Amino acid sequence: MLFRSPKTEFLGYETTSAPTRVIALARGGERVSRAAAGDEVAVVLAATPFYGEAGGQVGDTGELRAEGARVIVENTVKPLPDCIVHRGRVVEGAIAEGDAVEAVVDRERRLDIARNHTATHLLHRALRQVLGEHAAQAGSLVSPERLRFDFSHLAAVAPDELRRVEAIVNAQIRENRPVSTRVSALDEAMKSGAIALFGEKYGDQVRVVSVEGFSTELCGGTHLAATGQIGTFMIVSESSVRSGLRRIEAVT
């Protein structure tokens, strides 16, 4: 019942806060019209700057603020392609369907996530340069604290290869390369050389994220404006997931 709602407009590529309206509310898995302080809730908004967990990137946290009411958003998920759900707890007052609210993302946490997501794109390209084009992404996790990247490769990555990969990524960070995005038809994006990621389902229109002069991938996640904002990149581990699949964990 909760998810039979109008499409949620995602505003998070342009902003981390926005005025919006509550269009659906649930408590304990049941649709309700109102929730009060102490209630655990799931909230659907008409529009939101909150990124719903998808494509390996974790969901945003933050607050929904209304007159006399406040909801702490502890996670944001995307159970349907066009529906973003904010999960959290009412900590002040009461919130009801139809209420006007200010949706405010934890900006510093979002920036930490963006650092790790843009670094993931640099890592992907660097691995292909060092190991070969077969080193394709086969899964990822992008969180505020770290990034995890799974890729195709038949053997353990040698220490000197890891050092080369790390050096390439850090060189791109020092270059402070601009990061740009555009929306394109899927076939045009693929013809332009954009890399499609493992396990992702793409529509006719896709978002293309490019690190100028270095990498181009299809990606719906949130990113930095330039690679220099990453600061620095360090690989902390390389391990086997299963035969033919390796995993790198890194921090920025």
Side-chain angles (χ1 to χ4, degrees):
M1 185 67 176
L2 173 64
F3 304 136
R4 293 174 186 172
S5 56
K7 177 181 177 179
T8 304
E9 181 185 1
F10 179 59
L11 309 173
Y13 295 137
E14 293 81 30
T15 186
T16 53
S17 64
T20 183
R21 180 174 55 85
V22 178
I23 57 174
L25 189 63
R27 181 183 60 219
E30 297 293 329
R31 183 80 172 260
V32 294
S33 60
R34 182 179 182 276
D39 287 343
E40 301 284 337
V41 292
V43 185
V44 179
L45 304 173
T48 183
F50 283 74
Y51 182 86
E53 182 174 347
Q57 179 175 323
V58 299
D60 281 330
T61 63
E63 295 186 0
L64 306 180
R65 302 168 183 168
E67 188 173 351
R70 187 162 63 99
V71 177
I72 299 295
V73 178
E74 298 165 341
N75 192 22
T76 308
V77 297
K78 198 173 181 181
L80 296 173
D82 294 331
C83 185
I84 297 172
V85 179
H86 310 74
R87 293 177 174 168
R89 179 169 44 88
V90 183
V91 294
E92 293 178 19
I95 189 171
E97 287 190 4
D99 279 357
V101 298
E102 182 79 10
V104 182
V105 173
D106 182 333
R107 186 173 180 274
E108 290 306 313
R109 182 177 180 274
R110 163 74 78 80
L111 281 172
D112 284 340
I113 293 168
R115 289 183 183 98
N116 285 331
H117 205 154
T118 300
T120 297
H121 285 217
L122 300 182
L123 172 62
H124 192 189
R125 186 69 213 138
L127 282 167
R128 285 172 175 253
Q129 289 183 354
V130 172
L131 302 178
E133 292 298 322
H134 68 275
Q137 178 172 335
S140 68
L141 172 69
V142 180
S143 74
E145 299 83 17
R146 64 190 175 98
L147 65 92
R148 187 182 73 210
F149 189 80
D150 296 346
F151 59 99
S152 304
H153 192 55
L154 292 175
V157 184
D160 67 308
E161 292 174 323
L162 289 174
R163 286 193 292 271
R164 286 167 59 197
V165 168
E166 193 174 81
I168 289 170
V169 173
N170 281 305
Q172 302 311 310
I173 293 170
R174 288 192 298 273
E175 287 287 335
N176 197 27
R177 294 183 181 273
V179 179
S180 63
T181 62
R182 62 185 171 89
V183 176
S184 170
L186 177 59
D187 57 347
E188 291 178 6
M190 298 305 292
K191 288 175 184 175
S192 74
I195 295 174
L197 302 186
F198 174 83
E200 286 289 291
K201 294 180 180 179
Y202 299 104
D204 294 334
Q205 295 291 308
V206 293
R207 189 165 179 266
V208 182
V209 177
S210 298
V211 177
E212 185 178 276
F214 189 70
S215 76
T216 303
E217 297 189 12
L218 306 187
C219 181
T222 57
H223 286 270
L224 302 171
T227 59
Q229 293 175 280
I230 294 170
T232 191
F233 171 86
M234 182 173 67
I235 294 172
V236 296
S237 70
E238 191 274 345
S239 61
S240 172
V241 178
R242 61 174 184 269
S243 179
L245 189 66
R246 307 298 298 181
R247 171 171 293 172
I248 281 177
E249 298 203 40
V251 294
T252 57

